[in-house]
Amino acid sequence: MTDRRQFLQAGALAAGVMAFPRGQAKADGRARVVSTWDFGVGANQAAWNVLSAGGSALDAVETGARWAESELCNPTVGRCGNPDRDGVLSLDASIMAGDGRCGSVAALSDILHPVSVARKVMEQTPHVMLVGEGARQFALKQGFKREKLLTPAAEKAWREWLKTAQYTPEINAERRTRPGDSSNHDTLGILAMDAQGQLAGACTTSGMAWKLHGRVGDSPIIGAGLYVDNEVGAATASGVGEEMIRNAASFLVVELMRQGRSPAEACREAIARVVRKRPEASRTLQVCFLAMDRHGEVGAYALHRGFVYAVCDKDRQDDLRDSASVYTSEQT
């Protein structure tokens, strides 16, 4: 990354938590892409290369997600992800167009670009989701290459974890600080609007480190980690996936926007729903939402401090922003 981008990231991560009011990302009808976390800057720039050339939102989000899967080396996304408690690295991804087309893969191993496999599921099959060995077989038949993705660093981290591992189905057993904060975040969620006003989104992740073999989070679940509707807008989630699945969270955010909430208001209300259902768990588990409506207005909220997101359009290439938390002070 450039020195300027590193400066922006460091500044945003140190700035603390603050709310971004409605209208800060003004709706202007132009192409725009937004992504979760600080590595969203790189994903956005890859996606923007597509959008700025007049490409589709669907191509843009796939390109941004592919950047995260291959160019980024992060323990929660793509080729550098940490494995499950059996030492197996498995990947989850989804992609969705604003007209309702969608595809996803879960527990996919040995394939570098799960988001592209998810798009093939969407375009080449009558299904929405393929998992495990079936997903890998499909990917190979579609021309994807099988390759070992587990890095030496990830394998070393797993072997260190094995020394003191507690083999119980504990959510976020790998976390040493608040789960899902800026020091141990997970999941790239990316949303885009193209020059024609079409929306699309994608999610990609290696999921929780040391998870039970076969565990699937929210990222490949349409309506949980991702939902897109050209008539309303798009939303994606990050944090502890089980909470998103329990609440059909991204679908909820979009439906709240359909009812008239701004993207930020919809994200905040969805978090309130999560907290009401599981108040004790919400004291420690992170929940984050990022949304964009059909006019290009952007909003985000997080349950606990640490969440950042990136915005890119014609005027903003490296725009990194803090999200807001309205519940931390009430719970700590």
Side-chain angles (χ1 to χ4, degrees), residues 118-181:
R119 184 167 181 178
K120 288 291 186 181
V121 172
M122 177 182 77
E123 295 178 340
Q124 302 296 326
T125 81
H127 309 306
V128 169
M129 185 181 220
L130 295 178
V131 303
E133 182 58 29
R136 183 166 63 185
Q137 289 176 358
F138 172 77
L140 295 174
K141 288 181 179 179
Q142 291 294 316
F144 293 86
K145 295 181 179 180
R146 184 172 182 172
E147 55 186 296
K148 181 180 179 180
L149 300 180
L150 185 65
T151 64
E155 183 173 3
K156 181 180 178 181
W158 171 66
R159 294 192 181 280
E160 285 296 316
W161 175 80
L162 282 176
K163 295 177 181 179
T164 57
Q166 298 294 321
Y167 285 88
T168 58
E170 179 184 350
I171 289 179
N172 283 64
E174 81 280 14
R175 307 306 196 191
R176 295 297 176 263
T177 56
R178 190 183 299 278
D181 73 7

XYZ file of all heavy atoms in Angstrom, residues 118-181:
522
model
N -18.782 -18.910 -6.718
C -20.156 -18.523 -6.372
C -20.867 -17.911 -7.571
O -22.053 -18.181 -7.818
C -20.141 -17.544 -5.205
N -20.165 -17.099 -8.337
C -20.797 -16.506 -9.527
C -21.123 -17.583 -10.555
O -22.160 -17.509 -11.226
C -19.896 -15.435 -10.128
C -20.558 -14.736 -11.314
C -19.842 -13.484 -11.739
N -20.542 -12.866 -12.856
C -20.168 -11.714 -13.423
N -19.098 -11.062 -12.971
N -20.844 -11.225 -14.437
N -20.260 -18.573 -10.689
C -20.546 -19.682 -11.598
C -21.779 -20.458 -11.135
O -22.584 -20.906 -11.968
C -19.340 -20.606 -11.695
C -18.158 -20.032 -12.463
C -18.468 -19.893 -13.943
C -17.233 -19.457 -14.717
N -17.522 -19.290 -16.180
N -21.916 -20.640 -9.831
C -23.118 -21.294 -9.303
C -24.342 -20.501 -9.727
O -25.359 -21.061 -10.178
C -23.050 -21.422 -7.771
C -24.384 -21.925 -7.208
C -21.918 -22.357 -7.353
N -24.269 -19.183 -9.617
C -25.376 -18.309 -9.983
C -25.703 -18.406 -11.464
O -26.877 -18.451 -11.853
C -25.024 -16.861 -9.624
C -26.066 -15.821 -10.004
S -25.551 -14.132 -9.584
C -24.385 -13.801 -10.908
N -24.680 -18.447 -12.302
C -24.889 -18.326 -13.746
C -24.995 -19.663 -14.481
O -25.575 -19.724 -15.569
C -23.753 -17.505 -14.357
C -23.734 -16.066 -13.868
C -22.586 -15.244 -14.420
O -21.578 -15.847 -14.877
O -22.693 -14.006 -14.399
N -24.434 -20.726 -13.898
C -24.352 -21.986 -14.625
C -25.203 -23.104 -14.039
O -25.230 -24.202 -14.598
C -22.880 -22.455 -14.682
C -21.933 -21.476 -15.329
C -22.245 -21.236 -16.798
O -22.683 -22.131 -17.509
N -22.036 -20.005 -17.254
N -25.869 -22.856 -12.920
C -26.678 -23.903 -12.292
C -28.049 -23.337 -11.920
O -28.227 -22.113 -11.847
C -26.021 -24.448 -11.008
O -26.294 -23.576 -9.899
C -24.513 -24.613 -11.166
N -29.017 -24.212 -11.635
C -30.315 -23.744 -11.149
C -30.325 -23.523 -9.645
O -31.372 -23.205 -9.066
C -31.249 -24.900 -11.527
C -30.375 -26.109 -11.431
C -29.021 -25.669 -11.908
N -29.165 -23.662 -8.999
C -29.076 -23.604 -7.546
C -28.559 -22.251 -7.066
O -28.093 -21.425 -7.859
C -28.160 -24.713 -7.034
C -28.503 -26.067 -7.575
N -29.762 -26.608 -7.466
C -27.750 -26.983 -8.251
C -29.783 -27.806 -8.037
N -28.580 -28.058 -8.528
N -28.614 -22.052 -5.787
C -28.041 -20.863 -5.160
C -26.750 -21.205 -4.431
O -25.798 -20.424 -4.460
C -29.046 -20.219 -4.177
C -28.366 -19.142 -3.334
C -30.218 -19.610 -4.936
N -26.665 -22.370 -3.804
C -25.536 -22.668 -2.918
C -25.024 -24.086 -3.131
O -25.805 -25.034 -3.208
C -25.964 -22.483 -1.455
C -24.855 -22.649 -0.455
S -25.485 -22.451 1.249
C -24.158 -21.526 1.970
N -23.693 -24.202 -3.187
C -23.023 -25.493 -3.173
C -22.031 -25.495 -2.016
O -21.418 -24.463 -1.706
C -22.286 -25.752 -4.489
C -23.148 -25.891 -5.747
C -22.254 -26.090 -6.968
C -24.158 -27.027 -5.620
N -21.835 -26.666 -1.400
C -20.978 -26.727 -0.219
C -19.987 -27.880 -0.315
O -20.213 -28.868 -1.025
C -21.809 -26.884 1.074
C -22.809 -25.753 1.207
C -22.523 -28.228 1.112
N -18.889 -27.727 0.441
C -17.945 -28.804 0.652
C -17.397 -29.429 -0.617
O -17.039 -28.738 -1.577
N -17.342 -30.751 -0.611
C -16.757 -31.481 -1.730
C -17.541 -31.235 -3.017
O -16.951 -31.173 -4.108
C -16.718 -32.980 -1.412
C -16.082 -33.835 -2.507
C -14.650 -33.428 -2.838
O -13.944 -32.907 -1.942
O -14.235 -33.651 -3.993
N -18.858 -31.104 -2.908
C -19.650 -30.810 -4.098
C -19.278 -29.485 -4.727
O -19.218 -29.362 -5.957
N -19.019 -28.487 -3.897
C -18.604 -27.180 -4.405
C -17.245 -27.287 -5.090
O -17.012 -26.671 -6.139
C -18.556 -26.169 -3.268
N -16.347 -28.060 -4.500
C -15.024 -28.206 -5.107
C -15.106 -28.952 -6.436
O -14.446 -28.583 -7.407
C -14.072 -28.917 -4.147
C -12.660 -29.040 -4.698
C -11.665 -29.420 -3.636
N -11.949 -30.734 -3.067
C -11.255 -31.250 -2.046
N -10.282 -30.534 -1.479
N -11.553 -32.442 -1.572
N -15.895 -30.019 -6.493
C -16.067 -30.751 -7.743
C -16.605 -29.833 -8.835
O -16.138 -29.865 -9.984
C -17.013 -31.932 -7.529
C -16.436 -33.058 -6.694
C -17.463 -34.149 -6.432
O -18.624 -34.045 -6.839
N -17.046 -35.196 -5.735
N -17.593 -29.032 -8.479
C -18.164 -28.090 -9.445
C -17.099 -27.111 -9.920
O -16.987 -26.833 -11.129
C -19.331 -27.343 -8.806
C -19.862 -26.220 -9.642
C -20.675 -26.470 -10.737
C -19.555 -24.898 -9.328
C -21.170 -25.428 -11.517
C -20.041 -23.851 -10.102
C -20.842 -24.119 -11.199
N -16.309 -26.572 -8.993
C -15.275 -25.607 -9.357
C -14.271 -26.219 -10.334
O -13.883 -25.582 -11.328
C -14.563 -25.109 -8.107
N -13.851 -27.436 -10.072
C -12.886 -28.089 -10.957
C -13.474 -28.302 -12.346
O -12.784 -28.109 -13.363
C -12.434 -29.415 -10.346
C -11.645 -29.302 -9.034
C -11.379 -30.684 -8.444
C -10.331 -28.558 -9.253
N -14.728 -28.679 -12.413
C -15.380 -28.866 -13.713
C -15.525 -27.547 -14.471
O -15.589 -27.538 -15.704
C -16.747 -29.512 -13.523
C -16.678 -30.983 -13.114
C -18.064 -31.585 -12.960
C -17.955 -33.062 -12.577
N -19.308 -33.686 -12.398
N -15.568 -26.439 -13.718
C -15.671 -25.122 -14.335
C -14.313 -24.545 -14.721
O -14.229 -23.422 -15.215
C -16.388 -24.152 -13.387
C -17.859 -24.465 -13.181
C -18.683 -24.291 -14.436
O -18.521 -23.308 -15.153
N -19.561 -25.246 -14.718
N -13.251 -25.309 -14.491
C -11.923 -24.876 -14.914
C -11.056 -24.253 -13.845
O -9.923 -23.825 -14.133
N -11.538 -24.188 -12.606
C -10.710 -23.670 -11.518
C -9.647 -24.708 -11.158
O -9.896 -25.919 -11.239
C -11.570 -23.347 -10.295
C -12.518 -22.205 -10.501
C -13.774 -22.417 -11.057
C -12.153 -20.910 -10.156
C -14.659 -21.371 -11.263
C -13.029 -19.853 -10.358
C -14.288 -20.081 -10.912
N -8.492 -24.247 -10.760
C -7.398 -25.141 -10.429
C -7.389 -25.472 -8.941
O -7.643 -24.603 -8.101
C -6.060 -24.511 -10.818
C -5.879 -24.316 -12.315
C -4.523 -23.719 -12.624
C -4.339 -23.543 -14.131
N -3.009 -22.946 -14.449
N -7.066 -26.700 -8.639
C -6.930 -27.111 -7.243
C -5.515 -26.798 -6.777
O -4.541 -27.129 -7.454
C -7.226 -28.599 -7.096
C -7.195 -29.087 -5.658
C -7.694 -30.522 -5.563
N -7.703 -30.980 -4.188
C -8.230 -32.146 -3.788
N -8.788 -32.959 -4.678
N -8.210 -32.486 -2.512
N -5.393 -26.141 -5.639
C -4.083 -25.796 -5.112
C -4.131 -25.704 -3.595
O -5.163 -25.390 -3.008
C -3.601 -24.468 -5.690
C -4.558 -23.295 -5.509
C -4.096 -22.052 -6.234
O -3.013 -21.529 -5.865
O -4.801 -21.612 -7.159
N -3.005 -25.990 -2.977
C -2.922 -25.890 -1.528
C -2.855 -24.427 -1.139
O -1.971 -23.693 -1.593
C -1.696 -26.630 -0.995
C -1.575 -26.571 0.522
C -0.340 -27.311 1.019
C -0.231 -27.204 2.547
N 0.972 -27.916 3.065
N -3.774 -23.988 -0.293
C -3.846 -22.585 0.096
C -3.303 -22.328 1.496
O -2.945 -21.194 1.818
C -5.293 -22.100 0.016
C -5.959 -22.176 -1.357
C -7.387 -21.656 -1.273
C -5.176 -21.417 -2.409
N -3.262 -23.324 2.348
C -2.813 -23.116 3.723
C -1.349 -22.683 3.726
O -0.467 -23.403 3.255
C -2.975 -24.400 4.531
C -2.659 -24.297 6.027
C -3.653 -23.375 6.714
C -2.677 -25.684 6.669
N -1.094 -21.497 4.261
C 0.265 -20.969 4.274
C 1.043 -21.509 5.471
O 0.456 -21.926 6.477
C 0.243 -19.437 4.361
O -0.353 -19.049 5.614
C -0.537 -18.831 3.204
N 2.379 -21.507 5.388
C 3.186 -21.929 6.538
C 2.875 -21.132 7.801
O 2.852 -21.682 8.899
C 4.620 -21.701 6.059
C 4.545 -21.831 4.573
C 3.207 -21.243 4.198
N 2.618 -19.831 7.640
C 2.316 -18.999 8.807
C 1.000 -19.424 9.460
O 0.894 -19.493 10.691
C 2.252 -17.529 8.404
N -0.014 -19.715 8.642
C -1.298 -20.136 9.185
C -1.185 -21.508 9.838
O -1.781 -21.760 10.895
C -2.351 -20.155 8.079
N -0.430 -22.399 9.238
C -0.247 -23.727 9.829
C 0.502 -23.624 11.158
O 0.168 -24.320 12.129
C 0.511 -24.638 8.873
C 0.658 -26.061 9.402
C 1.261 -27.011 8.395
O 1.628 -26.560 7.282
O 1.383 -28.209 8.719
N 1.494 -22.749 11.227
C 2.232 -22.545 12.475
C 1.309 -22.010 13.564
O 1.356 -22.452 14.722
C 3.393 -21.579 12.246
C 4.221 -21.323 13.496
C 5.360 -20.352 13.208
C 6.164 -20.063 14.472
N 7.262 -19.090 14.195
N 0.453 -21.042 13.203
C -0.487 -20.482 14.176
C -1.439 -21.561 14.684
O -1.767 -21.612 15.874
C -1.271 -19.339 13.540
N -1.878 -22.426 13.771
C -2.773 -23.521 14.173
C -2.072 -24.471 15.130
O -2.652 -24.893 16.153
C -3.250 -24.271 12.929
C -3.987 -25.540 13.211
C -5.197 -25.679 13.829
C -3.553 -26.867 12.890
N -5.549 -27.004 13.901
C -4.567 -27.755 13.331
C -2.429 -27.383 12.250
C -4.464 -29.135 13.165
C -2.332 -28.758 12.070
C -3.332 -29.615 12.540
N -0.828 -24.825 14.858
C -0.103 -25.750 15.735
C 0.151 -25.140 17.112
O 0.137 -25.838 18.133
C 1.200 -26.193 15.078
C 0.957 -27.031 13.816
C 2.206 -27.724 13.308
N 1.908 -28.481 12.101
C 1.338 -29.685 12.095
N 1.004 -30.273 13.246
N 1.104 -30.309 10.953
N 0.355 -23.844 17.144
C 0.493 -23.170 18.436
C -0.825 -23.218 19.197
O -0.848 -23.425 20.412
C 0.936 -21.712 18.221
C 2.382 -21.553 17.831
C 3.333 -22.033 18.924
O 3.095 -21.710 20.113
O 4.306 -22.742 18.596
N -1.925 -23.011 18.491
C -3.239 -23.070 19.128
C -3.521 -24.463 19.674
O -4.130 -24.610 20.750
C -4.316 -22.678 18.117
C -5.705 -22.821 18.645
C -6.371 -21.946 19.464
C -6.600 -23.910 18.420
N -7.624 -22.427 19.745
C -7.791 -23.629 19.126
C -6.518 -25.092 17.689
C -8.881 -24.494 19.115
C -7.605 -25.956 17.679
C -8.770 -25.648 18.398
N -3.075 -25.479 18.983
C -3.322 -26.855 19.410
C -2.757 -27.156 20.805
O -3.283 -28.003 21.520
C -2.709 -27.846 18.411
C -3.468 -28.105 17.114
C -2.656 -29.029 16.215
C -4.833 -28.715 17.404
N -1.710 -26.456 21.182
C -1.046 -26.736 22.453
C -1.964 -26.486 23.650
O -1.844 -27.150 24.683
C 0.215 -25.880 22.585
C 1.297 -26.217 21.560
C 2.491 -25.280 21.691
C 3.551 -25.590 20.650
N 4.711 -24.656 20.747
N -2.862 -25.538 23.504
C -3.745 -25.195 24.631
C -5.217 -25.212 24.229
O -6.069 -24.688 24.947
C -3.409 -23.794 25.172
O -3.513 -22.840 24.114
C -1.987 -23.765 25.720
N -5.527 -25.816 23.087
C -6.879 -25.746 22.546
C -7.899 -26.416 23.445
O -7.649 -27.457 24.035
C -6.910 -26.401 21.173
N -9.052 -25.787 23.550
C -10.199 -26.380 24.209
C -11.182 -26.809 23.119
O -11.758 -25.975 22.434
C -10.859 -25.362 25.148
C -9.966 -24.886 26.271
C -9.642 -26.013 27.252
O -10.498 -26.833 27.561
N -8.414 -26.048 27.737
N -11.359 -28.102 22.952
C -12.176 -28.594 21.846
C -13.661 -28.561 22.223
O -14.289 -29.568 22.459
C -11.738 -29.999 21.447
C -10.441 -29.991 20.685
C -9.224 -30.045 21.345
C -10.439 -29.882 19.298
C -8.030 -30.019 20.645
C -9.256 -29.854 18.588
C -8.050 -29.924 19.267
O -6.869 -29.890 18.568
N -14.170 -27.375 22.316
C -15.590 -27.167 22.573
C -16.119 -26.200 21.528
O -15.368 -25.369 21.009
C -15.822 -26.579 23.980
O -15.099 -25.343 24.089
C -15.354 -27.547 25.050
N -17.395 -26.266 21.191
C -17.946 -25.381 20.174
C -18.150 -23.966 20.690
O -19.264 -23.455 20.800
C -19.275 -26.051 19.822
C -19.668 -26.762 21.060
C -18.384 -27.247 21.667
N -17.079 -23.311 21.029
C -17.122 -21.966 21.604
C -17.001 -20.923 20.504
O -16.087 -20.988 19.682
C -15.977 -21.794 22.603
C -15.901 -20.419 23.240
C -14.696 -20.293 24.149
O -14.044 -21.307 24.420
O -14.418 -19.161 24.584
N -17.915 -19.984 20.467
C -17.858 -18.936 19.456
C -16.611 -18.089 19.667
O -16.318 -17.635 20.770
C -19.116 -18.054 19.517
C -20.321 -18.855 19.006
C -18.938 -16.777 18.697
C -21.607 -18.091 19.036
N -15.874 -17.900 18.582
C -14.681 -17.059 18.607
C -13.657 -17.504 19.652
O -13.068 -16.685 20.356
C -15.051 -15.587 18.831
C -15.589 -14.966 17.573
O -16.646 -15.386 17.100
N -14.899 -14.013 17.020
N -13.404 -18.797 19.718
C -12.423 -19.308 20.673
C -11.032 -18.759 20.420
O -10.200 -18.732 21.323
C -12.396 -20.838 20.608
N -10.772 -18.307 19.173
C -9.432 -17.828 18.846
C -9.181 -16.410 19.301
O -8.050 -15.935 19.295
C -9.204 -17.924 17.334
C -9.794 -16.788 16.503
C -11.283 -16.921 16.246
O -11.937 -17.730 16.903
O -11.790 -16.194 15.388
N -10.225 -15.682 19.680
C -10.063 -14.265 19.964
C -9.385 -14.036 21.316
O -9.673 -14.703 22.291
C -11.414 -13.552 19.963
C -12.250 -13.760 18.716
C -11.512 -13.399 17.441
N -12.444 -13.251 16.344
C -12.090 -13.150 15.082
N -10.825 -13.184 14.764
N -12.990 -13.005 14.133
N -8.517 -13.053 21.331
C -7.860 -12.670 22.580
C -8.317 -11.298 23.046
O -7.997 -10.859 24.132
C -6.337 -12.689 22.390
C -5.813 -14.090 22.109
C -6.069 -15.028 23.276
N -5.653 -16.387 22.981
C -6.468 -17.339 22.562
N -7.750 -17.077 22.376
N -6.026 -18.556 22.304
N -9.016 -10.574 22.178
C -9.631 -9.297 22.548
C -11.082 -9.354 22.100
O -11.597 -10.412 21.822
C -8.890 -8.115 21.886
O -8.869 -8.324 20.461
C -7.454 -8.032 22.389
N -11.745 -8.222 22.016
C -13.160 -8.236 21.654
C -13.332 -8.800 20.244
O -12.691 -8.344 19.299
C -13.741 -6.825 21.716
C -15.269 -6.807 21.590
C -15.800 -5.378 21.577
N -15.486 -4.653 22.781
C -16.165 -4.736 23.911
N -17.191 -5.557 23.998
N -15.821 -4.028 24.956
N -14.183 -9.816 20.050
C -14.309 -10.425 18.731
C -14.827 -9.478 17.681
O -15.781 -8.742 17.896
C -15.295 -11.582 18.958
C -15.957 -11.285 20.243
C -15.031 -10.440 21.048
N -14.149 -9.475 16.531
C -14.610 -8.665 15.418
C -14.194 -7.210 15.489
O -14.709 -6.403 14.733
N -13.241 -6.847 16.362
C -12.830 -5.450 16.371
C -11.704 -5.233 15.362
O -11.363 -6.109 14.576
C -12.451 -4.983 17.788
C -11.120 -5.533 18.282
O -10.392 -6.175 17.498
O -10.810 -5.318 19.462
